[in-house]
Amino acid sequence: MRRHEFQPGRLLAGLVLTTAGVLYLLDATGETDLPWYLVVPMAVGGLCLAAFVGLITYAVRRDRRTDGRDGRGAEGGDERPKARPISESTDR
């Protein structure tokens, strides 16, 4: 699997919605008597918090890109080797 950047806002949103789903599942099976007005504000508040965390993450990453501290070397260039054209390839 290819590596991708960590996105804490999406992680938080997934955890909040999973928790809301588990609470509704417990209510449907009769394990708890859960009023709707408890879960809905929790889900909305969690999604708002996830959006805030996502904005903070974006701002920090944007600031690091403009400072040149994005982890791509001293010059800010790409450290990966350049791909050769197909005509120069040795395996045909």
Side-chain angles (χ1 to χ4, degrees), residues 12-67:
L12 185 61
L15 290 174
V16 166
L17 292 178
T18 300
T19 302
V22 167
L23 288 174
Y24 271 126
L25 181 66
L26 289 174
D27 187 40
T29 59
E31 296 292 323
T32 66
D33 186 28
L34 191 67
W36 67 269
Y37 53 84
L38 178 71
V39 177
V40 172
M42 182 193 72
V44 171
L47 290 175
C48 289
L49 180 63
F52 180 71
V53 168
L55 287 173
I56 296 298
T57 303
Y58 172 75
V60 167
R61 288 186 178 156
R62 185 186 63 201
D63 187 43
R64 284 188 179 174
R65 276 194 302 258
T66 58
D67 288 348

Side-chain angles (χ1 to χ4, degrees), residues 77-85:
D78 198 4
E79 293 180 354
R80 293 180 303 209
K82 301 293 181 194
R84 295 185 300 178

Side-chain angles (χ1 to χ4, degrees), residues 84-92:
R84 295 185 300 178
I86 295 174
S87 62
E88 295 179 18
S89 178
T90 56
D91 48 4
R92 293 182 186 200

